[in-house]
Amino acid sequence: MIEIKNLTKKFKSTLAVDDISLKISEGEVFGCLGHNGAGKTTTMRLILGLLRPTSGTAHVWEKPLSQNPHLRRKVGVLLENDGLYENLSGEDNLDYYARLYEIPDRKNRVSSLLEYTGLDTRRKDKVGTYSRGMRRKIGLARSILHYPSVLLLDEPSAGLDPEVQKMVRDLILNLAREQKILILLNSHDLDEVERICDRIAILQRGRVIACDSIKNLRSASSEPGVEIVLDGEEDPDMAVRVIESVEYVERIALANGKIRVVFKKGKSPDLLPALVNAGIRVSEISRTSRSLEDIYLEIIHREERQK
Amino acid sequence: MTICMVIARKEIRELLANRNTMLTSLGVALVFAVIYGLSLTEEGSIGGAISVDGTLFFLSIMLGVFMAYSLTGHVFYKEKTDRIIETLLTSPATLRQIWLGKVLAVGAVSYVLALIAVAVLLLITAIRNQGIVLPGAPVIFHIFLVVPVFIAAFVGLNGVAQLALGMKENRLLGFIIFIPLFAGLYGLGFSIGAVTTITWLYSGLVLAGALLLLVLAAFIVRFLSTERIVTSLG
């Protein structure tokens, strides 16, 4: 389990992490979102013990990793750099880390991971000859080589093609669901985060400005509303005029042949009878669902307005 | 195998896999061995144990340190520029183990290169003299005990500096070390090789100095922090 309490990190006059408190439980996939420089990587480095906190604590199983090399045996890490040596082959790289972590049955473990990543045929080639995606795959294999209970991933699928992205995503989901590994993930890829994370924290200027499950964030920030698709021959302007007359309608937007209606907070008027009574044929009506991107941007902009 | 030895083994493998670096280092070692070997014989002092002793005494340590200088960057500095050190620091290896493993690796490879140079120099003198010229006991002691300790001390101190310093400072440090090292290797050896009688006192003093430097390197590594390394990455 990872527990961060009032964590602060200052570099000279720059406040990189500002009083962050988080608790991440076993088996949870936790995502950290934020712009560049928001403090995601610094927080991860503080958890890993690569940096010393200015104040506060970052503990894994109630202890700081910096002072407990034996605890580091249970933690897997994939940072922005894959941690691979270009002059060594993929197999030799994995073998090196397997020796460092003193993995029993080292050769079989390395072979099975090479097969899993689909790099079995390139096992003897130097990593310097690998593509970006292949390096990331080997990097990911390296991070789980020693059967970690906690896995920290910094932008695991950045710059990868969709096929490798999917492989990374499937692997993360598999590790979390079947092996109950705690996964902390820093990412810019909102789609990836939405698909795999149980909870997220949004960081801005070193502070956590939102932390919850995606479902809760969506319901808290979503404006209630519906999207209406009219029958092909209907006049949208006419429909808009009808909808405007309905009580509790906040605003209406017309785009791409769809009418998007936002209701006043807490209200959910039924538009269909009004449209039908006006003789307008509706082919589809559905509740609007906001993407994580919408929620993220809204939270970030709201925070900036408050500053 | 201990973590130190795992790291040392990997570093040696990686150094050997880097053919350009190894061939260049070997080439430099051989060039200096040949230069000194030929100059010894040309000066007509081939039969004099003094010249052979002095040259071996000087060449073995200077060439070992020069090799260590050129290889340290591939093992310490490069791991910083490639940012791999960050991943290594999250492994079960402690900073001291990482440092020691690298010191052992660079020290061993540099020492072997210095030994090759010594062997080539002896071979040249043997060919020119039509007989083997063996160095005196203090020089043999120097080559097999003092030189590896001195190389290890140099690598240790240089390694700590490379881990602690930023990229610009590291380049400056490399320049500062290179000039006197190369000048010493190229020029100073001729005069020392020709005039100096190598006694146990010389070997003992150099050993004492090497041990002192080694202890100093082992002492200052405790002041090196992961934060210092991470915040000085390229």
Side-chain angles (χ1 to χ4, degrees), chain A residues 78-243:
Chain A
L78 180 66
L79 298 171
E80 213 175 329
N81 178 285
D82 304 306
L84 302 173
Y85 297 90
E86 296 205 339
N87 272 327
L88 298 181
S89 67
E91 184 177 31
D92 285 345
N93 267 285
L94 292 183
D95 184 71
Y96 171 52
Y97 283 100
R99 284 174 192 269
L100 272 185
Y101 283 89
E102 296 174 300
I103 295 167
D105 201 13
R106 195 179 73 239
K107 287 190 174 168
N108 280 342
R109 178 65 174 157
V110 169
S111 286
S112 66
L113 282 171
L114 283 166
E115 273 174 35
Y116 179 75
T117 52
L119 291 168
D120 199 30
T121 53
R122 299 283 307 267
R123 63 196 303 157
K124 298 285 180 197
D125 294 350
K126 284 186 179 181
V127 164
T129 65
Y130 287 6
S131 68
R132 169 93 184 100
M134 289 159 79
R135 283 180 206 213
R136 208 59 178 159
K137 280 183 185 177
I138 288 280
L140 200 60
R142 178 197 53 70
S143 70
I144 58 167
L145 188 68
H146 53 292
Y147 309 99
S149 305
V150 168
L151 186 59
L152 284 82
L153 306 169
D154 196 6
E155 305 283 355
S157 53
L160 301 180
D161 60 57
E163 192 186 340
V164 185
Q165 276 186 6
K166 187 179 179 311
M167 183 232 137
V168 170
R169 212 163 38 228
D170 291 346
L171 175 68
I172 294 171
L173 283 172
N174 178 278
L175 289 169
R177 291 191 184 145
E178 290 180 20
Q179 297 177 42
K180 301 286 174 210
I181 292 180
L182 182 163
I183 297 174
L184 173 60
L185 175 86
N186 282 350
S187 185
H188 279 117
D189 188 341
L190 299 173
D191 182 48
E192 175 182 80
V193 169
E194 190 165 12
R195 285 174 195 232
I196 60 181
C197 292
D198 302 314
R199 279 196 304 146
I200 61 165
I202 298 176
L203 274 74
Q204 192 182 34
R205 295 192 195 93
R207 286 177 53 240
V208 173
I209 56 170
C211 179
D212 212 330
S213 67
I214 295 171
K215 190 182 165 192
N216 286 350
L217 285 173
R218 184 171 278 144
S219 62
S221 72
S222 284
E223 294 168 311
V226 289
E227 262 182 6
I228 300 163
V229 181
L230 300 177
D231 194 273
E233 291 167 7
E234 294 295 342
D235 176 12
D237 293 332
M238 169 78 172
V240 167
R241 280 196 293 279
V242 172
I243 294 166

Side-chain angles (χ1 to χ4, degrees), chain A residues 9 45 52 72 81 85, chain B residues 79 82 84 86 91 227:
Chain A
K9 181 66 186 174
R45 283 176 172 163
R52 267 194 307 267
R72 296 206 290 266
N81 178 285
Y85 297 90
Chain B
E79 206 155 85
D82 292 348
I84 299 174
E86 219 177 2
S91 77
E227 172 148 336

Side-chain angles (χ1 to χ4, degrees), chain B residues 14-31:
Chain B
E14 212 188 355
L15 277 174
L16 297 180
N18 193 339
R19 281 185 198 162
N20 286 345
T21 303
M22 286 314 297
L23 286 175
T24 307
S25 301
L26 187 63
V28 170
L30 292 178
V31 163

Side-chain angles (χ1 to χ4, degrees), chain A residues 9 11 41 45 48-53 66 69-70 72-73 75 77 79 81-88 92 95-97 99-102 126 142, chain B residues 1-3 6-7 9-11 13-14 17-18 78-79 82-95 102 225-228 230-231 233:
Chain A
K9 181 66 186 174
F11 295 107
T41 301
R45 283 176 172 163
L48 288 167
L50 293 172
L51 297 174
R52 267 194 307 267
S66 58
H70 63 281
R72 296 206 290 266
R73 287 181 189 280
V75 178
V77 182
L79 298 171
N81 178 285
D82 304 306
L84 302 173
Y85 297 90
E86 296 205 339
N87 272 327
L88 298 181
D92 285 345
D95 184 71
Y96 171 52
Y97 283 100
R99 284 174 192 269
L100 272 185
Y101 283 89
E102 296 174 300
K126 284 186 179 181
R142 178 197 53 70
Chain B
M1 200 188 284
T2 65
I3 285 179
V6 170
I7 293 169
R9 179 183 176 274
K10 191 282 294 176
E11 297 297 354
R13 286 193 70 177
E14 212 188 355
N18 193 339
K78 191 171 183 299
E79 206 155 85
D82 292 348
R83 305 185 76 98
I84 299 174
I85 189 82
E86 219 177 2
T87 299
L88 198 58
L89 288 169
T90 66
S91 77
T94 63
L95 190 46
K102 289 175 184 295
S225 70
T226 53
E227 172 148 336
R228 176 67 212 160
V230 170
T231 52
L233 291 175

